[in-house]
Amino acid sequence: MIEVTGITKRYENFTAVDNVSFRVEPGEIMGFLGPNAAGKTTTMRVLTGYHPPSEGTVRIAGYDILEESLEAKKRTGYLPECLPLYNDMTVRTYLDFVAELKGVSSRKRRSSVDAVIDRANLEKVVGEIIGKLSRGFRQRVAIAQSIVHQPEVIVLDEPTLGLDPKQIIQVRNLIRSLGGDHTVILSTHILPEVSMTCNRVVIINKGRLVAEGSPAELTNRLKGSEQVFVEVGGAPSDDVLDAILTTDGVTSAWLHTKLSDDRSSFVIESELNRDVRSDLAVTVVKNGFKLLALKGMGMSLEDIFLELTTEEKEVVES
């Protein structure tokens, strides 16, 4: 649905986006993640036709954003970082105006506006002046304008910027509801936005794509091994550690926390894609120890983000 191939955007001697390629499938919500000044907003502007790429191509629903720009834009809804609102209009008047601009026929316009008012939960403020609304309601009005023409693709640039926690939850729920019916790309530097909203992640740093995949896929590519956390009682930590290291598939283990003389927790590493939890449980019980906790340890999205943007390690998609 969105095909980005080798796009580069230069401003004189500065390269804001450098040879970025990715694809977003129909109905998918993809997070476009990166630190501030990574090139996220520039990429969003290229995707939506606001800025032409210096090199590369973008296709929206099969249409080239340069060669067939009108057809591509008809199928795109865009929420820029700066909200495109007219503060002296009422919510309904503004949405009706945007629907007309985006080519919704007069016969369908009222039903289209009613549908986005309902979807964005704007019924209580439909007759209010936009400039008098809270930031959260204005954000929802801005999202509503991006979908009033029922686009196949929705591009959202920092959609929760400046919102309080309650407003963030409301906007997040709205974005999640768009998946399936629309293909959504969500640009943000806020990690919880991606982990709670998106199916897949693209991470960009200093204008270059450094990783692509689901959080689970990125974890596996970076870890190189599986990790398990175990808490054991009934024996000194040295005795427990010696027993753990005899377990088949365990490659290394170390003391995590000594909780008391006969109670400790450990981190165990095993071969990648090998689950040793059942074997560990057998080892602990067989040696007469008390198994108090046993769980797999995954990398958080924050761990992945810091690993990729701090060390600038490039992960090649398999």
Side-chain angles (χ1 to χ4, degrees), residues 2-272:
I2 304 175
E3 296 178 71
V4 178
T5 306
I7 63 166
T8 295
K9 182 62 182 178
R10 299 187 188 91
Y11 298 96
E12 296 184 351
N13 296 324
F14 175 68
T15 301
V17 179
D18 186 6
N19 194 29
V20 168
S21 300
F22 59 87
R23 179 184 176 92
V24 190
E25 300 298 335
E28 186 175 36
I29 302 178
M30 194 193 79
F32 196 70
L33 182 63
N36 287 325
K40 300 187 303 298
T41 292
T42 300
T43 303
M44 298 301 100
R45 289 172 178 169
V46 170
L47 294 187
T48 52
Y50 277 71
H51 289 176
S54 303
E55 297 174 13
T57 60
V58 176
R59 299 186 75 85
I60 303 293
Y63 294 95
D64 188 287
I65 196 65
L66 290 180
E67 302 297 328
E68 304 162 290
S69 60
L70 287 179
E71 292 300 323
K73 289 177 181 179
K74 284 179 184 178
R75 290 158 176 82
T76 305
Y78 181 35
L79 173 68
E81 188 175 352
C82 296
L83 303 184
L85 302 175
Y86 291 103
N87 288 330
D88 56 346
M89 285 184 167
T90 67
V91 171
R92 178 176 286 279
T93 301
Y94 169 72
L95 292 175
D96 187 72
F97 170 67
V98 172
E100 183 178 1
L101 284 180
K102 293 188 176 184
V104 180
S105 68
S106 56
R107 181 172 57 86
K108 295 182 178 180
R109 199 172 303 148
R110 183 174 182 83
S111 62
S112 296
V113 170
D114 286 342
V116 296
I117 286 172
D118 178 65
R119 188 157 206 175
N121 293 317
L122 294 170
E123 296 90 347
K124 294 180 180 179
V125 298
V126 70
E128 300 291 329
I129 300 295
I130 291 173
K132 296 182 179 180
L133 299 178
S134 69
R135 170 75 188 198
F137 271 118
R138 284 188 284 120
Q139 198 83 4
R140 281 191 262 170
V141 173
I143 294 175
Q145 67 78 30
S146 73
I147 62 175
V148 71
H149 58 308
Q150 285 297 305
E152 296 169 62
V153 170
I154 302 171
V155 178
L156 306 174
D157 192 4
E158 300 283 2
T160 61
L161 189 67
L163 301 184
D164 65 36
K166 183 178 179 181
Q167 293 167 339
I168 288 173
I169 292 170
Q170 292 169 340
V171 171
R172 185 185 296 151
N173 290 338
L174 172 57
I175 294 169
R176 270 201 298 259
S177 75
L178 298 175
D181 295 335
H182 308 270
T183 300
V184 182
I185 182 166
L186 165 66
S187 170
T188 184
H189 67 283
I190 303 172
L191 296 173
E193 271 337 293
V194 174
S195 59
M196 296 183 183
T197 310
C198 302
N199 314 117
R200 199 160 56 87
V201 183
V202 164
I203 300 178
I204 188 174
N205 189 39
K206 296 183 178 180
R208 299 191 67 200
L209 189 149
V210 294
E212 180 180 359
S214 69
E217 289 169 342
L218 297 179
T219 295
N220 284 337
R221 291 176 204 167
L222 289 174
K223 281 168 59 178
S225 64
E226 300 292 342
Q227 287 189 341
V228 174
F229 173 88
V230 63
E231 185 179 328
V232 178
S237 59
D238 288 345
D239 292 349
V240 176
L241 189 59
D242 288 343
I244 286 171
L245 288 169
T246 66
T247 305
D248 190 33
V250 171
T251 56
S252 63
W254 59 89
L255 178 68
H256 180 269
T257 306
K258 186 174 181 179
L259 301 167
S260 67
D261 289 341
D262 65 348
R263 183 182 174 190
S264 304
S265 61
F266 305 85
V267 175
I268 296 100
E269 284 193 347
S270 64
E271 301 161 6
L272 188 61

Side-chain angles (χ1 to χ4, degrees), residues 226 228 248 270-280 296:
E226 300 292 342
V228 174
D248 190 33
S270 64
E271 301 161 6
L272 188 61
N273 297 323
R274 177 154 185 181
D275 190 344
V276 297
R277 287 176 295 178
S278 61
D279 291 331
L280 279 171

